[in-house]
C-alpha cells in the first residue's frame, strides 16, 4: 500500500474531532468510526447502524512508533485511559499480535463512556495494523470507537464500495478508502 494521503487524513481527522463519523479500513473489515470519548458521536454510530445500545463497541487505539525502546511501557501508556488493569497475559498477546486483527477485552476505566461499552464493566480494544487507520489514530491521539460499517445484522463490509452501498446518499459519512480488507 502507498503512503496514506495526508489531505484525506486531514479531512477524516477534522470529521472525528467535530463529532462526525468516518468509515475506516482495518485488516478484516471497514469500521464505522467516531471519537470514543464523544457521547453524541457514539450515539450517531448506534443510530446509523440501527444497533441496540446495549451492544458494546470496539475502541481502536494507535500503536507505539516502530523502534520504541520500551514497547511495554508505551502500550501501558496508550491503554491507561481505557483500562483499569492490564494482565501480564494480555501484554504477551499485545507484544506478539498488535498492531493486528486481535481484540482484547479489559476491565474499563472509570472515564470510558457507558455508551461505548453498552453499559458493561469491560471495554474491547484493538490496535489495527492498516496504515491509513494507524496514521489517523496517531494524529488523533485518542481512541476511535469503530464497529463494522454496516447496518445491524448485515454482512460486514470489506471495501469502501461496500460501505458506500450500505449507507447511500449519506453526506455526513466520510469513507477512507484503504483498499480491500
Amino acid at each position: 500500500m502507498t503512503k496514506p494521503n495526508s489531505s484525506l487524513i486531514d479531512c477524516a481527522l477534522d470529521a472525528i474531532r467535530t463529532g462526525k463519523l468516518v468509515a475506516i479500513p482495518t485488516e478484516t473489515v471497514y469500521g464505522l468510526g467516531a471519537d470514543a470519548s464523544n457521547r453524541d458521536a457514539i450515539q450517531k454510530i448506534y443510530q446509523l447502524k440501527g444497533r441496540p445500545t446495549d451492544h458494546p463497541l470496539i475502541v481502536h487505539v494507535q500503536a507505539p512508533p516502530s523502534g520504541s525502546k520500551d514497547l511495554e511501557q508505551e502500550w501501558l501508556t496508550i491503554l491507561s485511559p481505557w483500562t483499569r488493569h492490564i494482565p501480564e497475559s494480555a501484554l504477551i498477546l499485545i507484544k506478539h499480535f498488535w498492531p493486528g486483527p486481535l481484540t482484547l477485552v479489559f476491565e474499563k476505566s472509570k472515564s470510558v463512556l457507558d455508551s461505548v461499552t453498552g453499559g458493561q464493566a469491560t471495554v474491547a480494544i484493538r490496535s489495527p495494523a492498516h496504515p491509513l487507520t494507524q496514521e489517523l489514530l496517531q494524529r488523533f491521539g485518542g481512541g476511535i470507537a469503530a464497529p463494522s460499517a454496516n447496518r445491524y445484522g448485515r454482512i460486514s463490509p470489506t471495501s469502501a464500495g461496500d460501505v458506500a452501498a450500505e449507507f447511500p446518499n449519506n453526506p455526513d459519512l466520510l469513507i477512507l478508502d484503504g483498499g480491500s480488507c
Side-chain angles (χ1 to χ4, degrees):
M1 168 164 243
T2 59
K3 185 167 176 24
N5 180 321
S6 184
S7 64
L8 186 58
I9 293 175
D10 287 342
C11 290
L13 194 56
D14 183 56
I16 294 284
R17 286 181 176 154
T18 58
K20 294 180 182 168
L21 303 181
V22 177
I24 58 174
T26 71
E27 306 84 349
T28 55
V29 299
Y30 274 72
L32 192 57
D35 178 353
S37 65
N38 181 326
R39 190 177 323 278
D40 293 335
I42 296 303
Q43 289 309 313
K44 288 178 185 177
I45 290 175
Y46 285 107
Q47 290 168 354
L48 186 58
K49 284 182 65 72
R51 181 184 180 115
T53 56
D54 62 349
H55 284 59
L57 307 178
I58 297 173
V59 176
H60 294 68
V61 296
Q62 70 186 45
S66 59
S68 295
K69 297 209 188 281
D70 190 352
L71 199 55
E72 184 174 314
Q73 185 56 49
E74 292 205 36
W75 277 118
L76 291 171
T77 300
I78 290 166
L79 294 172
S80 66
W82 307 102
T83 65
R84 285 188 183 197
H85 172 71
I86 301 166
E88 189 61 37
S89 58
L91 285 170
I92 292 168
L93 291 170
I94 288 167
K95 287 181 204 175
H96 285 89
F97 298 108
W98 276 7
L102 173 69
T103 300
L104 296 173
V105 178
F106 299 94
E107 184 181 352
K108 73 174 187 168
S109 75
K110 292 179 182 180
S111 64
V112 176
L113 298 173
D114 283 339
S115 55
V116 168
T117 65
Q120 297 183 28
T122 56
V123 62
I125 301 178
R126 177 178 177 185
S127 183
H130 196 287
L132 193 60
T133 299
Q134 269 301 319
E135 177 74 17
L136 178 63
L137 286 161
Q138 293 285 337
R139 291 184 52 196
F140 180 60
I144 296 177
S148 58
N150 57 286
R151 295 190 193 284
Y152 180 70
R154 297 193 32 128
I155 301 293
S156 298
T158 57
S159 72
D162 292 343
V163 177
E166 187 73 14
F167 303 109
N169 305 317
N170 192 329
D172 293 331
L173 175 61
L174 176 64
I175 301 171
L176 288 183
D177 188 346
S180 294
C181 299

